[in-house]
Amino acid sequence: MQNLIDGRTISQQIHAETAQRVAALKARGIAPGLVFIRVGEDPASQVYVGMKEKKSAELGIHSVTKVLPETTSQADLLRLIDGFNADPQWHGILVQAPLPKHIDQATVYAHVSPAKDVDGFHPVNVGKLMLGDPTGFVSCTPAGVHELLIRSQVRLDGAEVVVLGRGNIVGKPMASILIQKGRHANCTVTVVHSATRDVKSHCQRADILIAAMGVPEFLRADMIKPGAVVIDVGVNRIKDSTAKSGTRLVGDVAFAEVQPKAGLITPNPGGVGPMTIAMLLANTARAAELAVAR
Ligand code: GUN
C-alpha cells in the first residue's frame, strides 16, 4: 500500500551504513564490542536479545551475552557491570529489561558508564538529550522513530506533533528530540497521557501522531486529521481464541481503520520494531568511534 512507512527497508539502510562504519573501525584495528546482560528467563527478552546478537554478528560487531539467574543480587549485577565498564574491549553495554522485581532498574541503568550506554537510559544521556547536547546517546526506539520520519521526508519544522504516552523509554525522549531547536526538529509537541482531559481533541489537531502508551488499538480513525502521519510504537499481547497460541500482538493504533485516512502510517509489525535494533547498533558503532577519538 502506498502510504506505508517501511521500517524494514529503512532499517536495512541504517544497518548497511553501520556495517561500513564497523568495517572502517576494523581497518584501524578496532573491533566494536557489545555486551548483552540478561537476568532470568523472560521469554520475550530471550527472543529480543537473540535478535540483537544475530544482527550484531551480521554487521561485524563482536558481542557477548551474560545470562544471570533470576535470583542474582543487585550488588552482583552492579559488580558485573563494573567489570565491563572498565574493560576497553567493550564499547556498549545493554542490560535487557525487564529485570527481576528485587533489582532497581534505575540504579542499574545509572551504573552503566554513560560512554557505553548504547541504550541511552543513563541520566547523563537523558540530560544531554534534553539540553540538546549531541554528544550523548539517545534511546533507541524514539531515535528510530525520528529516523523513520526524516527518511520518509516528513516535514518536521513547525509541525504539530502529539506523542501519546509519557514513558521514560519512548514518550519523554521522543518529545525531547522533536522540540529541539534545529534541523529535523522544531516541532510543537503535545504529550497526552492517562490524566489528559480530552485526548481526542489534541490528536485531531496533529500533523504527526506517535502512539506509545501501550493500550491495544487505542488510536482510532475518528481521532486523526485526514492526511496525518501515524507512527505506532505499541507492542501489546492480547487474547485471541482464533490464534493457535491463544494470543496475538497488536499495536496502539487501530491500523485497519486508521490507514485509509492517514497520509503515512507505519505497519505493525514492520514499522518501528526493526528500527530499535538498527539504532542500537548505530549507537554501538558511535560508542566505538568516540572511544577511539578519546
Ligand atoms: N526491553 C525492551 N526494550 C528494551 C530496550 O530497548 N533496551 C533494553 N535494555 N531492554 C529492553
Side-chain angles (χ1 to χ4, degrees):
M1 274 177 284
Q2 269 177 353
N3 67 344
L4 292 185
I5 295 178
D6 182 354
R8 291 203 175 100
T9 299
I10 295 173
S11 70
Q12 288 309 322
Q13 291 165 0
I14 293 171
H15 285 311
E17 292 160 16
T18 303
Q20 282 189 358
R21 292 164 69 185
V22 170
L25 283 159
K26 285 185 166 171
R28 297 166 62 189
I30 298 112
L34 175 57
V35 177
F36 300 107
I37 301 174
R38 200 155 62 63
V39 187
E41 298 303 327
D42 178 64
S45 292
Q46 292 180 22
V47 173
Y48 284 131
V49 172
M51 287 162 58
K52 293 172 192 176
E53 286 170 328
K54 184 164 169 275
K55 206 69 202 175
S56 299
E58 280 174 35
L59 302 193
I61 294 172
H62 170 54
S63 78
V64 66
T65 302
K66 290 281 171 196
V67 180
L68 305 177
E70 183 84 26
T71 52
T72 302
S73 71
Q74 179 167 306
D76 282 347
L77 174 58
L78 297 182
R79 257 191 298 277
L80 180 73
I81 294 170
D82 282 333
F84 290 121
N85 280 341
D87 185 342
Q89 75 166 302
W90 301 111
H91 303 96
I93 302 169
L94 180 145
V95 184
Q96 184 70 23
L99 291 168
K101 284 195 186 59
H102 64 277
I103 296 179
D104 179 54
Q105 197 160 299
T107 303
V108 171
Y109 287 130
H111 205 77
V112 173
S113 163
K116 300 190 178 190
D117 170 38
V118 287
D119 253 332
F121 293 167
H122 191 285
V124 164
N125 286 320
V126 176
K128 284 184 172 181
L129 170 61
M130 187 60 106
L131 294 168
D133 175 343
T135 66
F137 292 100
V138 180
S139 177
C140 301
T141 300
V145 171
H146 193 209
E147 283 294 330
L148 283 182
L149 294 170
I150 293 167
R151 292 176 191 240
S152 305
Q153 276 91 44
V154 173
R155 186 182 164 86
L156 293 173
D157 194 272
E160 291 277 347
V161 178
V162 166
V163 176
L164 297 100
R166 54 176 157 182
N168 288 335
I169 294 182
V170 185
K172 285 184 205 167
M174 191 76 248
S176 289
I177 291 168
L178 295 174
I179 58 170
Q180 295 303 321
K181 187 167 185 157
R183 205 165 119 76
H184 299 318
N186 274 339
C187 301
T188 301
V189 180
T190 304
V191 179
V192 303
H193 48 71
S194 52
T196 299
R197 240 180 285 134
D198 187 355
V199 172
K200 190 172 173 175
S201 71
H202 289 290
C203 290
Q204 285 172 335
R205 279 206 333 265
D207 303 311
I208 302 168
L209 297 117
I210 301 169
M213 78 288 237
V215 180
E217 302 184 321
F218 178 86
L219 192 73
R220 319 287 309 200
D222 64 350
M223 296 168 75
I224 75 159
K225 176 166 86 176
V229 174
V230 179
I231 307 288
D232 187 1
V233 183
V235 182
N236 309 292
R237 191 168 287 285
I238 61 165
K239 285 203 172 75
D240 179 357
S241 56
T242 67
K244 221 189 317 175
S245 64
T247 66
R248 75 188 155 94
L249 292 175
V250 297
D252 287 356
V253 175
F255 182 85
E257 62 173 66
V258 173
Q259 187 262 329
K261 196 173 172 186
L264 287 173
I265 185 168
T266 55
N268 190 348
V272 175
M275 295 300 290
T276 300
I277 296 186
M279 300 320 290
L280 170 73
L281 301 181
N283 278 350
T284 302
R286 198 159 72 84
E289 288 161 358
L290 292 170
V292 181
R294 264 200 302 275

